[in-house]
Amino acid sequence: MNSNDLAVDGYNFTQSENQTMVAQMVKDFAQKHIKPNLMEWDEAQFFPVDIFKKLGELGLMGVLVPEEYGGAGMGYFEYVKVIEEISKVCGAIGLSVAAHNSLCTNHILTFGNEEQKRKWLPKLATAEWIGAWGLTEANTGSDALGMNTTAVLNGDHYVVNGAKNWITHGKSGNVAVVMVRTGEKGDSKGISAIVIEMGTPGFTSGKKENKLGMRASETTELIFDNVKVPKGNLLGVEGDGFKQAMKILDGGRISIAALSLGIAKGAYEAALAYAKERHQFGQPIANFQGIAFKLADLATEIEAAELLIYQASDLKNRGKKMTKESAMAKYFASEVCVKAATEAIQIFGGYGYTKDFPVEKFYRDAKLCTIGEGTSEIQKIVISREILK
């Protein structure tokens, strides 16, 4: 699919030379360093830290971080391309790149003061350090205001107690941005964001989740047992954490939409190629309308998802509000992603159900996209609130 020259709602989405170069660089990297190992990593649930160090050397672990802090200083169009091209090959690596860039790193970039940015961003942007971000808890998924992890100010330190669940890079990460309760439960102004470095006494990782898909992207618990964190690690002011997290998730939804787009394209392109090669009744199965129409539907819906992502990216680049647009992009792209992976297996038939072909992995990885960083149902709540204002 070629979307090099797209214009929507008066915005020009012509792909720049830089975007084309970035896309080609990431494509080459994924083919050389990720594709040969992806099934081995998947089977073993191995988190390949070295791959992220290599991506860091290319500036791809700090895509949005300005050059003065060691990043690539690029915008959301380039960022979407990075996530998309990696995810066409392996959704798990795409997910980890997205979580590192959009959540941990971007939270410090967006809400950190100058001293905090200079302290942590150069290490994160180069992948010297891997970043984690903690909002979800065992009993508070979509209901984030019910969190139990607390931070109590004691002199010049906060004392943090509690646990976070479903945290990407919870074990191998070096630093985490964690949402903690500094006020009353259920109060949106009772939550703050704090940076906690791994190795701080009392801060450990717990159970590693054994997942259906995205298996090379590490997901664990974070546990806090009387963890003393300097007051200077607070991002912004006390009580702003929930508001900050919601803004970070707005941008994060674009990255999950890009992840979804990459997986959808990977599954679609595999199915398209197979439908041309596989012969039944003396002709390629692509000649049969039942298969051709599946491909036509996917091609159309993938293009539509891409346009929604570009629209949200354009608004984000220009500093405009994009809560509705990013939720639409994430919701639509993630659902298309699941459909594309499902239809790809159907087109492959029995072979699609085996691990000898790539589509069974796309199928397993795809489902996370409708759940992570806000379920499809939460996206519909966000969209409906915006349009009913």
Side-chain angles (χ1 to χ4, degrees):
M1 272 182 189
N2 188 351
S3 303
N4 287 354
D5 198 9
L6 299 171
V8 172
D9 203 21
Y11 306 142
N12 183 3
F13 295 127
T14 303
Q15 193 164 300
S16 69
E17 188 180 345
N18 192 47
Q19 287 160 27
T20 306
M21 282 170 54
V22 167
Q24 191 59 52
M25 174 179 71
V26 179
K27 192 174 190 173
D28 293 343
F29 181 93
Q31 290 297 319
K32 183 179 177 183
H33 297 289
I34 299 173
K35 193 172 183 179
N37 306 299
L38 62 90
M39 289 311 292
E40 187 183 329
W41 296 338
D42 182 80
E43 293 281 327
Q45 291 211 81
F46 176 72
F47 179 61
V49 174
D50 287 352
I51 286 295
F52 298 98
K53 304 284 187 192
K54 286 190 175 87
L55 286 164
E57 288 168 16
L58 296 173
L60 302 178
M61 295 296 273
V63 180
L64 304 166
V65 176
E67 290 178 23
E68 64 181 295
Y69 304 117
M74 293 190 274
Y76 262 77
F77 289 129
E78 288 86 358
Y79 180 44
V80 164
K81 278 288 166 200
V82 169
I83 303 297
E84 178 196 320
E85 289 297 339
I86 292 172
S87 306
K88 271 189 196 176
V89 175
C90 180
I93 305 301
L95 174 64
S96 275
V97 173
H100 175 94
N101 273 282
S102 278
L103 299 179
C104 179
T105 305
N106 197 40
H107 200 138
I108 295 169
L109 174 65
T110 306
F111 295 106
N113 58 37
E114 192 59 30
E115 186 184 344
Q116 291 168 334
K117 288 180 191 176
R118 296 209 176 275
K119 182 177 182 180
W120 290 304
L121 288 179
K123 290 178 178 175
L124 287 164
T126 56
E128 179 187 339
W129 281 15
I130 303 288
W133 192 80
L135 175 64
T136 304
E137 297 182 5
N139 298 313
T140 59
S142 299
D143 178 19
L145 291 178
M147 73 172 60
N148 292 312
T149 300
T150 57
V152 178
L153 190 58
N154 184 0
D156 59 355
H157 282 76
Y158 282 97
V159 179
V160 181
N161 281 286
K164 296 289 178 182
N165 282 58
W166 307 108
I167 308 305
T168 306
H169 314 143
K171 183 181 177 186
S172 298
N174 304 93
V175 64
V177 175
V178 184
M179 270 34 74
V180 292
R181 191 155 55 76
T182 48
E184 293 302 310
K185 188 182 280 197
D187 179 8
S188 64
K189 293 187 173 67
I191 291 171
S192 303
I194 198 162
V195 181
I196 310 179
E197 294 183 11
M198 301 294 184
T200 305
F203 180 24
T204 56
S205 59
K207 177 191 171 195
K208 181 176 175 177
E209 302 297 342
N210 185 5
K211 298 177 299 186
L212 168 73
M214 302 291 193
R215 289 169 61 83
S217 179
E218 177 185 275
T219 308
T220 74
E221 287 179 306
L222 293 179
I223 298 167
F224 310 96
D225 182 11
N226 288 318
V227 181
K228 284 179 72 177
V229 185
K231 189 178 175 182
N233 286 23
L234 182 75
L235 292 171
V237 299
E238 194 173 286
D240 268 4
F242 185 74
K243 188 166 69 177
Q244 291 177 13
M246 292 306 104
K247 284 186 179 170
I248 292 302
L249 285 173
D250 275 352
R253 282 168 184 151
I254 295 176
S255 71
I256 300 299
L259 171 69
S260 303
L261 180 67
I263 294 172
K265 284 188 177 183
Y268 163 80
E269 288 169 10
L272 181 69
Y274 184 80
K276 292 175 180 176
E277 293 164 7
R278 170 76 167 166
H279 281 66
Q280 292 286 274
F281 308 103
Q283 58 184 310
I285 62 170
N287 288 359
F288 300 116
Q289 196 177 75
I291 301 295
F293 278 16
K294 283 184 191 297
L295 293 166
D297 281 342
L298 292 181
T300 303
E301 288 171 28
I302 289 169
E303 287 279 357
E306 192 159 24
L307 286 166
L308 282 169
I309 293 166
Y310 281 142
Q311 176 178 249
S313 298
D314 177 69
L315 291 169
K316 182 71 177 167
N317 276 345
R318 293 190 290 128
K320 303 284 187 186
K321 187 171 187 284
M322 32 60 88
T323 302
K324 180 189 76 174
E325 290 79 6
S326 67
M328 284 178 165
K330 196 271 184 188
Y331 167 50
F332 188 76
S334 65
E335 294 291 343
V336 168
C337 171
V338 171
K339 179 179 175 180
T342 305
E343 292 288 38
I345 286 193
Q346 196 69 16
I347 289 168
F348 270 79
Y351 291 110
Y353 205 68
T354 72
K355 291 183 183 287
D356 297 330
F357 291 86
V359 289
E360 72 84 32
K361 184 177 181 296
F362 286 128
Y363 183 75
R364 287 184 292 107
D365 288 347
K367 191 58 204 163
L368 187 274
C369 297
T370 67
I371 298 169
E373 289 193 36
T375 62
S376 291
E377 290 74 20
I378 287 291
Q379 304 311 320
K380 286 195 260 193
I381 289 173
V382 172
I383 295 162
S384 59
R385 279 180 183 162
E386 289 295 315
I387 63 177
L388 291 169
K389 271 182 180 174

